[in-house]
Amino acid sequence: MALWSVLPAPLFAGNDLASASPETIDVLTHPGLIAINQDPLGRPARLTSVAAQSMTWVRELSSGGLAVAVLNHSDSVATVDLSPAALRLPGCYQALDVIAARDLGDLEDGLKVPLGSHETLVLRLSPSGDSRIADPPRPSS
């Protein structure tokens, strides 16, 4: 669901919604994830980094901010660096953990977050100060 949110694509649920658990319904109807997916700018996320344990996708939003999805594709906990330099983003940003609806504050000094096996973190970044949004960078090898 997190990766779907950064791609402007319709959601097709392959399960019986009438018998879905409340947790499943909460995930499928998460207002923050749906808002990112349906952002009017309509630009898809770009894969900006692939590491041994994780991958990062960045999507420009109509607000001038960014949506970032960091996926831990490993079988162990990964510590991800959310600094603008690590995310390969210019400037400084205020970060919101979309799924937890938790303000993470300014990323200027960096932030390292443990991400569980196959867990995904979705951030909504707003420029702070005089940063400029540029096209998200291409993945590094």
Side-chain angles (χ1 to χ4, degrees):
M1 188 69 181
L3 185 56
W4 166 84
S5 75
V6 296
L7 301 171
L11 176 63
F12 294 99
N15 59 317
D16 178 9
L17 294 177
S19 63
S21 70
E23 293 81 13
T24 298
I25 297 298
D26 286 347
V27 169
L28 293 175
T29 61
H30 192 287
L33 296 176
I34 291 171
I36 290 170
N37 175 267
Q38 296 181 4
D39 184 79
L41 189 58
R43 290 193 179 149
R46 291 188 192 168
L47 181 63
T48 60
S49 130
V50 178
Q53 291 184 295
S54 64
M55 63 177 66
T56 304
W57 296 76
V58 177
R59 179 181 181 178
E60 291 178 82
L61 300 173
S62 61
S63 65
L66 300 168
V68 177
V70 183
L71 293 80
N72 176 358
H73 53 78
S74 75
D75 292 330
S76 59
V77 173
T79 300
V80 294
D81 183 355
L82 300 176
S83 68
L87 293 173
R88 300 178 55 219
L89 299 173
C92 301
Y93 297 88
Q94 292 291 118
L96 172 75
D97 177 335
V98 174
I99 296 169
R102 183 174 56 124
D103 183 2
L104 300 177
D106 197 326
L107 295 183
E108 182 177 15
D109 295 328
L111 179 65
K112 294 191 187 293
V113 175
L115 208 53
S117 173
H118 303 285
E119 186 177 3
T120 302
L121 175 67
V122 178
L123 303 175
R124 192 172 190 121
L125 303 183
S126 301
S128 56
D130 191 30
S131 56
R132 303 278 181 235
I133 304 291
D135 281 342
R138 301 272 180 208
S140 57
S141 25

